[in-house]
Amino acid sequence: MKKDTERHVFNSLKEQYLFQDLPTDLIDDQTDFTIHNIRDIHSVLPYTSIVYRVNFFSFVFVKNGKGRYTTDDQVYATQPGTIYFTNPGHFKSFEWLELDEVYLITLSESFLKENVHANIFEEFPFLLAETVPPRVLPPEEFAVFEQLYLLIEKEYESTSTYRNKVIGNLFVVLLLKIKEFFWKDYNPIYEGNRSSQIVKTFRRALEKHYRDMSRGVTDKPFRVQEYAASQGLHPNYLSNVIKTKTGKSISTWVSEKTIAEAKALLQNSDLSIKEIAYLLGFGESTHFSNYFKKHTQQSPVIYRKEIK
């Protein structure tokens, strides 16, 4: 299965839907955020997906629907009142038997950092969890989330200049309610097997190190050796675990984190390009500009002009 699914890695929901021959007219590909009722996507039921990986976060709110989904080797039933989320890197698949109102929200780490919260993973550490089981809420509690995701959908369909910022603020409320209602007993210490613990620790170390870099606490990006040493592991072993469990190499995780932090700093600070380059460990601003353009097809200057 692993060899087959390595080909099915999607960087956006539109890319995934196109591959699966599903309609994409409800997706705005000008932003790293989507929301829609899955009922409008699957006209024929039952529907069973392929096994795949994605490089974005997904939140599912099941008001009225039935099916199941799989994350790595964990299989969960979905029923009315179910809420669950998955983060990047896992093997995933799903099956829908009945659909009425089932809302899907997807968003990238860059969107989270730029429009939701600059220190998103510090405020909401459960987003870095390896696998979090779904929760089924009674109707009166689920209604709180329904109000929020319908407001988000309304804003998503608007043409407001401040659309992404409004969505970001509403999503903060959504995350706070998730934290309040069913991650209040989340225990970051107990979480999966040894490999899952290694991935979780690596992702938290990556997040903390880049947070320290953006604050000027340190100016040197970690290498694989440093991430491995922090867990007492051989670099090759850490690399193999991360690649096997998430489908992405450590260098890919680091480059994606660098771009996400760069975008957040370009949007949310008045630091010069040279200062941002230095904070992120680039000795020369030209090196940073070339790196940014390679990964985004835009220079930092053009990107900042477009989002300011």
Side-chain angles (χ1 to χ4, degrees), residues 228-294:
S230 69
Q231 297 196 54
L233 303 172
H234 189 282
N236 289 345
Y237 179 73
L238 177 65
S239 297
N240 288 336
V241 170
I242 299 301
K243 177 65 176 176
T244 300
K245 287 287 289 182
T246 73
K248 295 191 292 187
S249 66
I250 290 178
S251 61
T252 300
W253 277 103
V254 170
S255 63
E256 289 179 355
K257 178 64 70 176
T258 301
I259 295 301
E261 291 296 331
K263 286 182 174 180
L265 288 168
L266 287 166
Q267 176 165 338
N268 299 315
S269 78
D270 294 322
L271 296 172
S272 68
I273 304 297
K274 184 177 181 180
E275 289 171 321
I276 291 174
Y278 177 77
L279 282 177
L280 295 177
F282 293 88
E284 299 289 338
S285 58
T286 52
H287 182 201
F288 167 67
S289 295
N290 291 336
Y291 184 92
F292 189 89
K293 190 170 184 178
K294 175 185 176 183

Side-chain angles (χ1 to χ4, degrees), residues 154-166:
K154 183 177 180 181
E155 192 61 33
Y156 180 73
E157 294 173 347
S158 79
T159 57
S160 169
T161 305
Y162 306 105
R163 183 184 70 156
N164 283 356
K165 284 296 185 184
V166 173

